[in-house]
Amino acid sequence: MMYGIIHMCKLEGKITRHELGVLITACVCHDLDHPGYNNTYQINARTDLAIRYNDISPLENHHCAVAFQIFSNPETNIFGNLDSDKFKLIRQSIIMLILATDMARHSEILEAFKTKVDKFDFQNEDHLNSLKMVMIKCCDISNEVRPMEISEPWVDCLLEEYFNQSDREKSEGLPVAPFMDRDKVTKPTAQIGFIKFVLIPMFECLVNLFPQLEDAMLNPLRDARDHYEDMKKKQEANSPDNK
């Protein structure tokens, strides 16, 4: 997904090769060693990750740490030929991007980008950092951009991950998020709100800067919204309560 955005927006002519490499690398590394339970569970269950990172983006901090453990091995250090100053900048950038994928920071990051998009300046470092954080966020949760025959099986996997977490939270006496509770959530209800209120507004903001993404990425999201709204209507029509 990140490669597609870079290619369609011709970013190779707007940002440096190092910045392009950072974007791709951060995407590859952003979920390394994910345990299958989100930050809310980590914090509420007081896991080792939550304790280690003081309840601050425990998963994203862990993904960063695992990535740089890999890079610390000479056999897997793709940055081994860089001088220390350049590596330090790249490390800071990768950490910034991976930490941006914590959904707890969604509104903060998107609202900051909205203040810049109308007068965006590719020479302004703050503007570029804001754009790159929105780009990796879009890529992180972009499943519904893909064709339905690809994206929907992944939705099933994600829901099962959510349900496994909520089952564990119930068994451990922890708070359960309604959107993860198998007794309260259906596939269409889970997807409609997320697509309408998270995905579409964020991609619309990116499309304001890069209109060429509308057909390839924003319109498929609208189609996905319509697909799940139709599914919801059919489920409601077939519900025993309506018979």
Side-chain angles (χ1 to χ4, degrees):
M1 191 62 66
M2 180 63 80
Y3 177 81
I5 293 176
I6 289 170
H7 178 69
M8 284 186 281
C9 300
K10 296 180 168 49
L11 288 182
E12 67 276 9
K14 296 180 174 69
I15 63 178
T16 68
R17 291 178 64 189
H18 282 141
E19 288 171 317
L20 294 173
V22 163
L23 286 167
I24 296 294
T25 304
C27 279
V28 171
C29 298
H30 86 283
D31 262 349
L32 280 175
D33 198 38
H34 197 296
Y37 300 95
N38 69 12
N39 280 334
T40 300
Y41 174 81
Q42 304 297 325
I43 293 166
N44 288 337
R46 302 175 186 174
T47 66
D48 289 345
L49 288 181
I51 292 169
R52 182 175 302 133
Y53 297 112
N54 303 307
D55 294 349
I56 300 172
S57 303
L59 289 179
E60 291 74 22
N61 273 296
H62 178 61
H63 305 323
C64 290
V66 173
F68 282 96
Q69 285 174 347
I70 293 171
F71 298 146
S72 70
N73 184 337
E75 294 182 357
T76 53
N77 184 8
I78 61 175
F79 304 116
N81 292 328
L82 299 178
D83 62 50
S84 59
D85 288 339
K86 181 64 72 173
F87 175 75
K88 182 178 179 180
L89 291 174
I90 285 178
R91 172 172 159 79
Q92 290 172 342
S93 295
I94 291 174
I95 291 172
M96 175 191 73
L97 293 181
I98 294 178
L99 292 182
T101 62
D102 183 352
M103 287 301 293
R105 298 182 58 203
H106 178 77
S107 295
E108 164 209 336
I109 292 170
L110 186 57
E111 291 305 314
F113 182 64
K114 286 179 179 179
T115 66
K116 303 173 179 65
V117 69
D118 289 338
K119 297 181 179 179
F120 195 85
D121 180 3
F122 280 94
Q123 304 305 313
N124 183 309
E125 183 179 2
D126 184 47
H127 285 210
L128 274 179
N129 284 341
S130 187
L131 169 63
K132 287 185 285 189
M133 286 192 283
V134 168
M135 286 172 61
I136 194 170
K137 283 177 58 57
C138 285
C139 294
D140 181 28
I141 54 177
S142 63
N143 181 55
E144 281 70 26
V145 171
R146 300 183 293 180
M148 193 58 60
E149 63 268 21
I150 297 173
S151 65
E152 192 164 358
W154 283 104
V155 171
D156 294 333
C157 292
L158 180 62
L159 286 175
E160 193 56 38
E161 181 178 302
Y162 283 176
F163 295 157
N164 286 339
Q165 176 173 317
S166 67
D167 291 345
R168 183 166 180 173
E169 287 168 333
K170 290 174 184 177
S171 71
E172 295 178 3
L174 299 174
V176 177
F179 72 92
M180 302 179 81
D181 191 335
R182 70 170 73 244
D183 298 323
K184 299 178 180 178
V185 172
T186 65
K187 186 193 298 187
T189 58
Q191 291 304 98
I192 292 168
F194 188 67
I195 294 170
K196 288 175 66 172
F197 301 115
V198 178
L199 287 175
I200 288 178
M202 183 165 63
F203 275 85
E204 284 177 338
C205 199
L206 191 61
V207 165
N208 286 338
L209 184 61
F210 300 118
Q212 59 268 47
L213 295 179
E214 182 159 11
D215 286 343
M217 297 189 177
L218 186 53
N219 285 339
L221 288 175
R222 294 167 176 151
D223 292 341
R225 173 200 60 200
D226 295 344
H227 169 78
Y228 287 111
E229 286 181 337
D230 288 343
M231 183 185 294
K232 181 173 182 285
K233 290 176 183 176
K234 290 176 182 176
Q235 288 184 354
E236 289 172 345
N238 293 326
S239 171
D241 295 336
N242 292 329
K243 294 181 179 180

